[in-house]
Structure formats: structure tokens, C-alpha cells
Amino acid sequence: MIGSRFTSFQLQVPTFFLPSLPFPSSSRRRSRSRSRRWTFQTSRTEVLSCNCSAGVSRQLSEEKQHQRQKQAPNRAYPFHEIEPKWQLYWEENSIFRTPDEVDTSMPKFYVLDMFPYPSGAGLHVGHPLGYTATDILARYKRMQGYNVLHPMGWDAFGLPAEQYAIDTGTHPKLTTLKNINRFRSQLKSLGFSYDWDREISTTEPDYYKWTQWIFLQLLKRGLAYQAEVPVNWCPALGTVLANEEVVDGVSERGGHPVIRKPMRQWMLKITAYADRLLRDLDELDWPESIKEMQRNWIGRSEGAELEFCVLDEDANERDVKITVYTTRPDTIFGVTYLVVAPEHSLLSTTVSVGQSKMVEEYTDLASRKSDLERTELHKEKTGVFSGCYARNPANGEAIPIWVADYVLGSYGTGAIMAVPAHDTRDHEFAAKYSISVCVVVKPDGDHCIDSSKAFAGEGTAVNSANSTSGLDINGLPSKAAAAKVIEWAEKYGSGTRKVNYKLRDWLFARQRYWGEPIPVVFLEDTGESIPLPESDLPLTLPELDDFTPTGTGEPPLTKAVSWVNTVDPLSGKAARRETSTMPQWAGSCWYYLRYMDPRNSKELVDKRKEIYWSPVDVYVGGAEHAVLHLLYSRFWHKVLYDIGIVSTKEPFKCVINQGIILGEVQYTAFKDQDGNYVSADSVDASDELYQEVIPEEKVKKSGDGFVLDDNPGVQVLARAHKMSKSRGNVVNPDDVVGEYGADALRLYEMFMGPFRDTKTWNTSGIEGVYRFLGRTWRLIVGSPLADGSFQDGSLAVDVEPSFEQLRSLHRCIAKVTEEIEATRFNTGISAMMEFVNAANKWDNLPRSIAEAFVLVLAPYAPHIAEELWFRLGHSSTLAYEPFPEARTEYLKDAKKVLPVQVNGKTRGTVEVDEGCSEEEAFMLASQDSKLSRFLEGKPIIKTIYVPGKILNVILGGKGPKPKSKPNPDASRTTVR
């Protein structure tokens, strides 16, 4: 399907602008040593007659064509005709289809975009940034002779479509299909070379059959299980939310209150792979920042679990022990209180009667916060005293037990030993609630401890001995002290060595309709869970008309009574289906594998194809997926590796995070209650001011900031924000394509700055690359005729290029090649601009030079490149033409400027060839009209020559000029 913006063109493209003949089918493609090539079967002058799927003729009468050209705006080149023409051409002839069976002796290149979610809003100009980069790489590698896999599909299950269904009564499948069609048309309008025959969607039963199959493999291996866990429950949305979907205690979507409550949920045991997920990061070509984020998320630490006995009202030990995990057992003598999480299982047994009401109110408040909020380092710590005490096993002291939400029930044991002298969070908490502080670690050297803050580093143990417990670590370095404490604890049964992880098992259930059904039934009589046989997959979603939450916590699928009530396929016993569905993450964990073999109904992926295409060579997407998506994908991949489905330990060889494109800069002025402007540099947070958005034309630059044009004393706030509908700063790529063309949009997004950096959109900035494309068009095709049309063919001539022309071309080739390989696309464009500027000054344009440059331009601006290639006389697409290679003989600087001194004083310069001898340099200097006058009539005592650097002629008084002898060793400084 062609982009909707060009519907009129795709139905009404004049035959003059269409390629002369269609390409043959893929079965008729013939191979060659470096790449594949398609050829036309008849002459270029023949007319192509194409029929669209609706059978509508695409030919225009001359009168209608003339009328459209007359009404069209003044364009630098006819992109409005070129782009839909070539998009149609690529699609109808499957130019970018990767055959199911490829020549595996050829190198492969698998380049992938992170799975997009097709929202109803469609694309904004920030989205094509990564897609353009991967398309440049894909096109470039095809031209280098690689088999390229460059697919696209849709991560289409999830809450947004379901919520829209609830709000409007529209089935989420209809909404999803509509959104997918819009996204697809927009992507096609930008000329991306995706293999659309491999398109997949997570919502299709043929796809999620294999998602369900993977779940069953996890279940067989004990990696999927059910547990009662505290979850983020949103009553309004009627579903469990992931931590990242909760912001400030409300749902990210809709702003509804969220509470924490225990529910029985499906979990995936990702913690079983924690060590491998951590260890294998070192082998990946990923940004170090991304790898570090995953390391921190996994959070491996070595320490100990220690037990503290709870005391009764008479300070006697009860038969209740609180187990804590600590990475600093050497600080045990500094423990002055314990903290248990609000959701700790022992909380009810460690609260006094007098404090029970306060603790209940506090735990209710904590249940409305997400884990991310509770562990925010800069938030003010809160807590409540439980009314009970525990005994420190190291010194026998009674220490208070507090309840605080900065401790999570899901991390460690859900309780900590608080050492305020040596932990920043504990110190802040102790200071707020007047809890004692005991220093037990002395910094090494002469450093003094600042009592106003915690010393969290290692040092030497002090105040750390007790004869009753038999533990003495005074004077030991921190690591040795920690080892001795663990040894002591294990000996007396009060603790053990422990490796811990921040990583929690993956909550793998959502109380939603629009998701993959979980292939499990529960027997009515026993409640036992029974996996469906693999032969019964896919388990498809039932049709529902009512998607609203049940209000009881039960998922919407419970409303599909006839679907829920079933029988166990093996025993025939009455059973009920699982009514929770999989989270949106599920389908995106393994989609890269399905692209390798998307129509296979017998297995997840053919082994031969997986071995050839794995791993993904380049994976491009936003840094916001750095942890969860990438971690979950790695986990599933390792499980599939263990059971022999995949041949590599890791799914993605190289990950690249593109930067964010912010909306255009917005200028904001401040006004007081009387409507008077207040300069932004004098605004105080407590001032009651109004904000007014000022148009760009009413501000001007002043120093490092901006001021009102008609009132320079008033500074305005200039800031770019992330694109969003709420801010009204979304730029629709359809509008940009309509005004400047898809090639200009592609080039601008790559030219804005380094690919990985955050950049600010400026619509006026696209003018520069648009002018460059116009200059390129005029260089090869020529200026428009009087009626606005362009001549057939090109201006290129069949002459041998000069050395200078070849040098200019090959420098461009070398730079563009280097920058594509390094994904520095902006500087590659700069090199092409320099070439075009130079070429426009030539007296002629050799055809061989024009053709090579068009091939270099093609990955960046494919539409105009295809058209120019066609006009240069070629009857086949350039998509598989060899990418030009730079020749080293044209990359060297042919000439160097050599300073010439006379008696040590610089008198001028001469231009010499690289490797010029001393004799040649002296001859050029003596023949130069400006330099020769300094040499006339004076004897030459000696010459000092540093090749390529300087020639210094030492002269004597008047007399005959001695004969100079060349120095045979011109590679060293010479004196004679």
C-alpha cells in the first residue's frame, strides 16, 4: 500500500514519469558475483502500462497533466512525481524482498528497528530518525553484495487499544488494524526499503501461537509459576500495571489512582538467568551506558543474611526472627534500628497494640506508591515506629523496629539493618526521627568523619567488639571484618553468606482482554493448573462486545463464559481457562526470530535460517527500552538457546540508541497580575505570573538568550520539549513530505546532528537539504524549461574525467563510506554537499562521475537517486548496483604549499608535488618571480630542506652564484 498522502499520484501518474518496463519476478532474477541485478526486457522508450489493484488507469490526459503542473508550487525538482512513482515501482516488483532461500555463501546483514506500537496518532517527525538510519544501512549493505534482512512489523497488543475500545465501544482489533494501515502507509511514503512480505503483527493468531508455545516451554522448565505478589492495581483501568506505568501514584495513562495489593499472578523466573544476563553483557557491542543500566537493574551483590530476634514487652526473645540482607556485615555493631517494608509478611506480628492504627494508615498510604517512587533517592524519607524491638546479635542491644516505604518487600528479605553512621538513606531517616548513630568504621588515613553525614566507604572497624557474643573485628579492614562476621554468624546459626540481586521475577499477567491468552486451564475439582497441548495452539481470543473492567479484579475475559468453561483436553475433566492475558512485552521478546521465517506453521523458526541470520547485526531504537525490553528479550533468547531453538547466546550483536527529536523551540514570556511583562531572568518561583507563548518572529537573540523584539529589556524563556499532542508541538511527516518530499525529510533528519544526540526540530532548517537536492538535480538534469518541466535524459557527457574531478569524487566516496560505517550520517551528507558544490563549477560532467555519485547518494535519498540513474541511461534499478569504492591514488594531497625562507626569513611560498626533491623545490623557488629577486646576484652558501615543511636558502655577499647539488636523501632535513 502506498502512502495515503500520495493516493492521487499513485492512481494518476503519467506514463512519462514511470519506468519504461516492469522488473521480472523474483524467479527471473539472475545472480552475479557481488550482488543481484534486475534488467528490463525491452527498450527504455517503451511505455509502462500499470494497473492498480482497483483497476483504475494511472494515465493522465495531457490536459490534466498540464493543469496539475500549472497549479503545483514552484519546486526545486519534481519530487511530487518522482517519489510516488518509485515507491510504486519498488512495491509492484518486490525490489526489496529477501527470498525465503538465499545464497548462504554470501555475507548477511540483519538490520532491525525496535518494534513500533501503531498508535492512532500516527508518526511524528521524531519516529523516522531511527528508521532512516536503518534504511541507509540496509541499502548500503545491499549495494555491497550482502543478503540483507530489513523487516517491519507491529507490537500491537496492549492497554491503549483496549482503553480506546472501552471508551468508544470499538473492538480493539478494528482500531489496531486501522492504526497499522496508517503507520504502514506513512512508512511507505518515506521510501523505506522494508521487506513487506515479512510483515508480522503480535495480534495475529499465527504469530502468538508461538508466543504461547514459548510460554509452555518456560512452564515445563519451572520458569513460569504462579505466586501471590503485591502488584500495582488500578481499579479504574481494571488491570495490573507495571512499575514504569505508574507515575506519582497514578496510572501513566488516564491519571487514575493506583494501589498496591496482593494478587495471584503468573511470574517468569528471570532471576534464574541473572548471572548469565550479567556476565554475557561484556561480549556485546552495545553502548556502555546501556550495559551499565542493565547491570544496575540486575544488581548483583555479595553479602550476608543475618537474623535479629524480635523481643516481647519484657525484652525477652520471642520465637520470631527478622532476616535482613546486607552487603556490609562489617557494620553490624553500628545497627541502631531495623526497617521492615510496609508489605512485609511479619509486619502484623511485630506491631504493638498502641501503634497498630498508625502502622495501618501508613501501609495504606505506601500501597498507593510505585516502587520507583518509594526508592527515589532524593525524596524525603518517611516511616512509623512499630512499637516493638529486636536484639542485635553482635552486641545484645535492643533496637527499635520501624516501618518505612524506602524498603521494598520485593528486594532482599523485605527488611534491612539500618546503620545510620554509614548509609546515607539510614542517616537521613535517623536524623529525622532522632534515632541514635554509632560510628563503627574509621576512614583510612588522616580523614575525619563528618558527623553531619554518613561515611559510606570502607576503612577500619572500630567500636566493634563484644565479649558476650564472642565477636571482635576491631582494627580489621572492612573486607576482612565482613568475612569474619559471616564466619561468626554461620558458626552460631545467626546468618549465612548470600548473593543477592535487585532483579525480580517478571510479573507476567495482565487483567486485560487485548493480549495473548495464556494456554493453561484449571481443573474445577482441584484447581490444579494444566498446560494446553502444543497441538491445541493457538488458543485464540474470544469475541467480546464488553471490554470494561469487572470491578472485582477479575479480568474482562471472565465475561466470555462459554470460552472460559471448558474441559481438560487430556483427562476430559471440567476446567476453567486462565482469564488473565500476557503483558504487551510478550510478543516483542522474540519477534526478531520470526522475521527470519515468518510463514512457518510447523516450528517457531527453521533451524537453517536461524543459523544463517542470527544474531541481529544492528538493532536500532530508543534508550527508553534499554532495560526492560532488551533484558526480557535476552532472557527468552537464552531459554531458547538452552532448548536448542537458537544457535547464539545473545539476540542482538550491536545496539544503537538514536537521539530524541524535540519539538520546535517555544518562546515563553511572563506577565504579572496587571499584564506587564516580567523578564525571565528575574522570575521567582513564588511569583504569581501568567505565561504567554510568543511567536518566533517577535523575539530576537541577545547574548546567550532571547528577548522581545520590541522590548529588549524583557528576556523570554526559550525551550524545546518532547513532541506531544498536549503541547501542540507535534510535526506530522506527511506535511513535510508534501512540501519538501520524502528524500528531503530523510536527509534533514540525518543532517540535524550526530545520530545519537538529542536534536531540536526546525522546519526552516529543512530548506538547506532541499536546496542541496535541487542543486544535485540541476547538476545532472539541468534547469527547468520555460514551462517548468525538465528535459529528458541528463547533462552528463561521455568524456574521460580529469584528475581533479576523480579526486573530488573519490574523496566524497571515501568520506561517505567511512561515515555510514560509523553511523555518522550528518558528516556523510556534508561530504556529498561539498562534492556537488565543486561539481557545479566544472565545465562538464563526465557520465562516469555522475553515475558514481548517484550511487553514493542512493542510500540517503533513494527516490531522486533512482530517477537520476534512470535518466543517466540505465534500465535497471540501482538498488543492487555495487557501492563505489574509493581509490587511494585519488585520496592523497597532490600538492603542498612549501614556505621558502631566505637567510631564515620567509619570503614566499611555492606549490610542490608530494615527495618533491630538494633540487625540484629549489628550481621552483628560483623560477618564482617574487622569490627570484631575493636570490639574484648573491652566492648560495647552503640550503636547508625539510621535505614538505620548508626550504631555507642561506646567501652570502655579492659574487658568483655557486652551483647547487641536490641531496639524494630528500626524506631528511638536509644542510649543504
Side-chain angles (χ1 to χ4, degrees), residues 164-218:
Y164 185 81
I166 293 170
D167 296 341
T168 64
T170 306
H171 196 286
K173 183 175 184 178
L174 298 177
T175 304
T176 299
L177 289 175
K178 178 181 177 182
N179 295 345
I180 286 174
N181 289 337
R182 173 160 170 73
F183 260 63
R184 188 192 303 111
S185 69
Q186 287 185 297
L187 291 176
K188 286 188 174 184
S189 76
L190 294 171
F192 297 133
S193 61
Y194 294 123
D195 178 0
W196 288 107
D197 287 350
R198 292 176 183 259
E199 179 183 359
I200 58 178
S201 170
T202 56
T203 63
E204 294 301 320
D206 287 347
Y207 180 85
Y208 67 69
K209 164 186 177 179
W210 297 105
T211 309
Q212 293 171 336
W213 182 87
I214 295 172
F215 176 84
L216 292 180
Q217 310 317 304
L218 294 165

Side-chain angles (χ1 to χ4, degrees), residues 314-325:
D314 298 323
N316 295 317
E317 293 184 0
R318 296 167 51 191
D319 190 23
V320 177
K321 293 181 179 180
I322 295 178
T323 303
V324 304
Y325 172 76

Side-chain angles (χ1 to χ4, degrees), residues 794-799 801 845-852 871-874:
S794 73
L795 298 178
V797 292
D798 295 314
V799 297
L845 178 65
R847 187 176 304 279
S848 60
I849 297 285
E851 290 175 344
R871 285 172 173 265
L872 284 166
H874 296 277

Side-chain angles (χ1 to χ4, degrees), residues 48 99 135 141 154 163 170 213 464 516 526 638 698 707 911 925 947 953:
L48 171 66
D135 194 58
K141 288 295 185 179
W154 319 105
Q163 193 59 40
T170 306
W213 182 87
S464 299
E516 298 93 335
T526 64
K638 289 181 182 302
K698 292 189 177 182
V707 297
E911 194 175 67
V953 183

Side-chain angles (χ1 to χ4, degrees), residues 1 26 29 90-100 149-153 184 188 193-201 594-600:
M1 183 181 296
S26 59
R29 298 172 184 169
W90 296 329
E91 180 170 15
E92 291 194 339
N93 296 281
S94 301
I95 299 302
F96 304 116
R97 180 179 180 273
T98 304
D100 293 332
L149 185 57
H150 186 38
M152 176 51 70
R184 188 192 303 111
K188 286 188 174 184
S193 61
Y194 294 123
D195 178 0
W196 288 107
D197 287 350
R198 292 176 183 259
E199 179 183 359
I200 58 178
S201 170
R594 194 59 177 173
Y595 281 138
M596 300 174 187
D597 194 13
R599 306 294 170 245
N600 194 332

Side-chain angles (χ1 to χ4, degrees), residues 212-213 215-216 219 517-521 530-532 537 539 582:
Q212 293 171 336
W213 182 87
F215 176 84
L216 292 180
L219 193 60
I518 295 175
V520 170
V521 298
I530 306 293
L532 288 183
L537 302 180
L539 172 62
M582 299 184 193

Side-chain angles (χ1 to χ4, degrees), residues 502-537:
K502 289 182 181 177
L503 181 67
R504 301 293 89 200
D505 281 346
W506 177 8
L507 177 61
F508 196 74
R510 295 292 186 270
Q511 284 62 55
R512 301 174 183 164
Y513 166 73
W514 194 234
E516 298 93 335
I518 295 175
V520 170
V521 298
F522 300 93
L523 298 181
E524 288 280 13
D525 54 354
T526 64
E528 179 186 0
S529 61
I530 306 293
L532 288 183
E534 293 177 10
S535 58
D536 284 4
L537 302 180

Side-chain angles (χ1 to χ4, degrees), residues 237-248:
L237 297 177
T239 188
V240 170
L241 299 178
N243 286 334
E244 65 275 8
E245 295 173 314
V246 182
V247 179
D248 296 330

